[in-house]
């Protein structure tokens, strides 16, 4: 079978490697970090959420971005300093507003298709990733936002999830630990949560058991072709090495744009920073006071997940500031304050902050499929839904690879 290089060992790269191995391909994974799942797949919000599949291409997103531009604690923050990449990306973002509805419905369908793949993998490989299947509850503080959510709900349910409106009283009965005067909510019982880092790390080990070769501390510096692909990479010690393969799948998150340029393709990914905090629930009182049902607060743009009995993940914000990975206190503080307000009995004495760069395409849809050259493929650009969509897009790109390689062998024969 052909030898395929997967560039990137985050959630999309590792699920792609696993799907290729199941089809019998020889697989080498190149990862710039020392371990799998150390960048965007390290500490995200944890939601496996068809209910959060609404794309951001809407005029309201732009208006909020302008309104919030001078607020350091805003859910959406844009550095106004001009760069060609940022403003060209925003222009494409605006041009895709006309596809807001179609892309939302399609993303929802992809999210549902991904569920069973991911759950089956976890069961087959015995991966414990703190999976909690208690649904996702979206909460709204006022009638206007709830009414807008009802319109979004019509699109989401067209895509397939079992999502329903709930009253303020039902919100409290679904998650009794919540404090606040809510107007209402929407509840999706089939959605779930889990630790993306634990899953991806566990699946990388499963891939190695199945014969995949992982090259860590391997930063791709060039890709050439003379029959086979020749991938040059710099090691952690500074040495330059090469690996030859029959095909390349780019799953490199925010680095995918640079690697695509080496292959003659334009993949217009922009890094959109998100923050999370992991609240360590070190006593019984805090454990009882933190929610088990996953939440999305529409006003604050914050999501939560319970990662086992003693960890509570709170994540949110979107920051357009290039490749900046700084963890800023003024961006983390709103997450801590929100936790204290809605769950006052949960101790926030031990909170671990994190920031990661979401790889976003202007249309908010992942780039999945062929590149310009034969043997080049992409599975990248999943934005805030990499955890949710990865198991489905891995199957999609593997189908494409298998089809092209089979056609090549038929021609050669």
């Amino acid at each position: 079978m052909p030898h395929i290089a997967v560039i990137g060992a985050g959630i999309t790269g590792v699920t792609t490697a696993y799907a290729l191995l199941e089809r019998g391909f020889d697989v080498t994974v190149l990862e710039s970090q020392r371990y799998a799942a150390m960048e965007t797949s390290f500490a995200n919000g944890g939601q496996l959420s068809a209910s959060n599949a609404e794309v951001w291409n809407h005029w309201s997103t732009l208006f909020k971005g302008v309104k919030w531009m001078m607020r350091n604690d805003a859910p959406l923050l844009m550095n106004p300093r001009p760069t060609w990449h940022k403003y060209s990306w925003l222009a494409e973002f605006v041009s895709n507003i006309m596809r807001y509805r179609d892309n939302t419905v399609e993303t929802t369908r992809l999210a549902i298709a991904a569920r069973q793949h991911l759950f089956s993998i976890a069961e087959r490989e015995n991966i414990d990733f703190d999976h909690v299947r208690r649904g996702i509850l979206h909460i709204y503080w006022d009638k206007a936002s709830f009414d807008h959510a009802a319109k979004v709900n019509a699109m989401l349910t067209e895509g397939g999830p079992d999502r329903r409106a709930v009253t303020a009283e039902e919100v409290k009965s679904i998650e009794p630990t919540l404090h606040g005067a809510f107007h209402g909510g929407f509840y999706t019982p089939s959605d779930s949560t889990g630790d993306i880092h634990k899953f991806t790390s566990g699946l990388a080990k499963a891939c190695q058991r199945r014969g995949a070769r992982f090259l860590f501390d391997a930063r791709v510096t060039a890709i050439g072709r003379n029959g086979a692909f020749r991938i040059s990479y710099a090691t952690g010690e500074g040495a330059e090495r090469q690996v030859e393969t029959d095909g390349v799948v780019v799953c490199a998150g925010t680095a995918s744009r640079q690697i695509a340029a080496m292959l003659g393709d334009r993949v217009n990914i922009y890094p959109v920073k998100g923050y999370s905090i992991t609240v360590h629930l070190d006593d019984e009182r805090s454990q009882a006071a933190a929610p088990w049902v996953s939440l999305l607060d529409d006003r604050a743009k914050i999501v939560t997940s319970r990662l086992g009995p003693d960890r509570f993940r709170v994540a949110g914000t979107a920051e357009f500031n290039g490749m900046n990975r700084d963890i800023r206190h003024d961006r983390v503080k709103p997450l801590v304050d929100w936790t204290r307000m809605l769950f006052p009995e949960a101790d926030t004495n031990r909170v671990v902050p994190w920031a990661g760069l979401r790889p976003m395409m202007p249309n908010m849809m992942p780039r999945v499929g062929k590149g310009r050259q034969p043997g080049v493929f992409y599975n990248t650009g999943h934005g805030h839904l990499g955890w949710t969509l990865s198991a489905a897009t891995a199957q999609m790109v593997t189908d494409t690879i298998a089809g092209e390689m089979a056609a090549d062998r038929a021609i050669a024969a």
Side-chain angles (χ1 to χ4, degrees):
M1 289 294 288
H3 181 197
I4 307 296
V6 176
I7 301 178
I11 185 63
T12 56
V14 174
T15 51
T16 299
Y18 186 83
L20 288 165
L21 289 165
E22 285 204 302
R23 303 287 186 94
F25 286 94
D26 184 14
V27 177
T28 296
V29 180
L30 295 97
E31 167 57 45
S32 62
Q33 298 292 334
R34 192 172 185 179
Y35 308 102
M38 293 303 292
E39 294 201 16
T40 311
S41 299
F42 186 75
N44 75 349
Q47 291 188 334
L48 293 160
S49 53
S51 61
N52 195 22
E54 179 189 9
V55 300
W56 297 2
N57 303 86
H58 196 276
W59 288 112
S60 63
T61 306
L62 296 175
F63 296 149
K64 288 174 182 175
V66 172
K67 182 178 71 173
W68 289 334
M69 194 171 289
M70 303 309 294
R71 278 181 49 194
N72 287 340
D73 63 345
L76 173 62
L77 185 65
M78 182 178 297
N79 184 339
R81 185 178 63 188
T83 68
W84 171 251
H85 183 203
K86 182 194 304 176
Y87 284 101
S88 64
W89 187 95
L90 286 170
E92 286 190 51
F93 177 92
V94 171
S95 73
N96 278 283
I97 288 176
M98 67 182 67
R99 294 196 53 80
Y100 162 75
R101 177 183 176 83
D102 290 345
N103 287 348
T104 294
V105 173
E106 178 59 25
T107 303
T108 309
R109 289 175 177 154
L110 267 179
I112 292 173
R115 281 179 185 162
Q116 196 51 52
H117 287 302
L118 189 142
F119 299 162
S120 296
I121 291 169
E123 182 178 359
R124 189 160 55 246
E125 301 299 339
N126 195 28
I127 301 172
D128 176 10
F129 63 106
D130 294 322
H131 192 201
V132 176
R133 302 179 76 161
R134 301 199 189 188
I136 294 179
L137 175 63
H138 289 213
I139 53 176
Y140 301 90
W141 295 82
D142 57 75
K143 185 177 185 301
S145 58
F146 180 83
D147 289 345
H148 173 74
K151 297 176 183 177
V152 175
N153 191 58
M155 291 183 288
L156 295 174
T157 53
E158 184 179 334
D162 52 340
R163 190 171 187 259
R164 61 182 174 86
V166 292
T167 65
E169 292 73 21
E170 288 175 306
V171 165
K172 292 295 182 69
S173 67
I174 292 169
E175 184 42 72
T177 63
L178 264 172
H179 287 67
F182 307 107
H183 177 82
F186 282 86
Y187 180 52
T188 312
S190 58
D191 276 348
S192 60
T193 59
D195 188 325
I196 187 174
H197 181 74
K198 290 180 72 172
F199 179 89
T200 308
S201 299
L203 188 57
K205 293 174 183 175
C207 288
Q208 290 173 310
R209 289 194 300 268
R210 286 172 171 255
R213 179 188 182 200
F214 278 71
L215 302 175
F216 291 112
D217 281 330
R219 181 176 56 84
V220 173
T221 56
I223 305 176
R225 189 172 192 181
N226 184 11
F229 288 94
R230 185 175 292 107
I231 303 170
S232 302
Y233 62 95
T235 69
E237 294 79 27
E240 191 79 17
R241 295 178 182 168
Q242 292 185 338
V243 60
E244 289 193 357
T245 65
D246 302 302
V248 178
V249 193
V250 179
C251 308
T254 55
S256 298
R257 178 171 174 260
Q258 177 185 0
I259 292 170
M262 298 177 189
L263 294 162
D265 290 311
R266 181 176 181 270
V267 178
N268 194 16
I269 283 173
Y270 191 85
V272 180
K273 189 196 292 187
Y275 289 83
S276 78
I277 58 172
T278 302
V279 182
H280 288 264
L281 308 169
D282 293 328
D283 55 74
E284 291 184 4
R285 177 184 172 185
S286 295
Q287 291 171 11
W292 279 95
V293 173
S294 178
L295 304 170
L296 188 151
D297 182 344
D298 181 73
R299 184 175 70 182
K301 306 302 181 188
I302 284 175
V303 303
T304 75
S305 58
R306 186 69 176 264
L307 304 176
D310 58 359
R311 290 187 300 150
F312 178 45
R313 179 72 49 77
V314 181
T317 76
E319 186 175 311
F320 288 75
N321 196 20
M323 293 297 287
N324 182 290
R325 290 182 170 87
D326 294 347
I327 299 176
R328 293 170 43 182
H329 172 73
D330 60 349
R331 304 295 284 155
V332 171
K333 186 176 183 295
L335 302 178
V336 179
D337 291 345
W338 182 91
T339 304
R340 294 176 62 185
M341 180 178 70
L342 272 68
F343 308 101
E345 300 300 314
D347 194 338
T348 54
N349 180 57
R350 193 157 71 98
V351 170
V352 179
W354 173 83
L357 301 178
R358 308 177 185 100
M360 287 195 171
M361 295 290 291
N363 63 354
M364 305 295 292
M365 302 292 287
R367 170 71 183 271
V368 184
K370 297 181 180 182
R372 183 176 300 177
Q373 296 185 56
V376 174
F377 308 90
Y378 294 91
N379 183 21
T380 190
H382 294 64
H384 67 298
L385 292 174
W387 183 211
T388 296
L389 303 180
S390 58
T393 60
Q395 294 294 325
M396 291 165 59
V397 76
T398 298
D399 286 343
T400 302
I401 294 167
E404 180 171 302
M405 295 295 178
D408 289 346
R409 288 197 300 272
I411 291 170

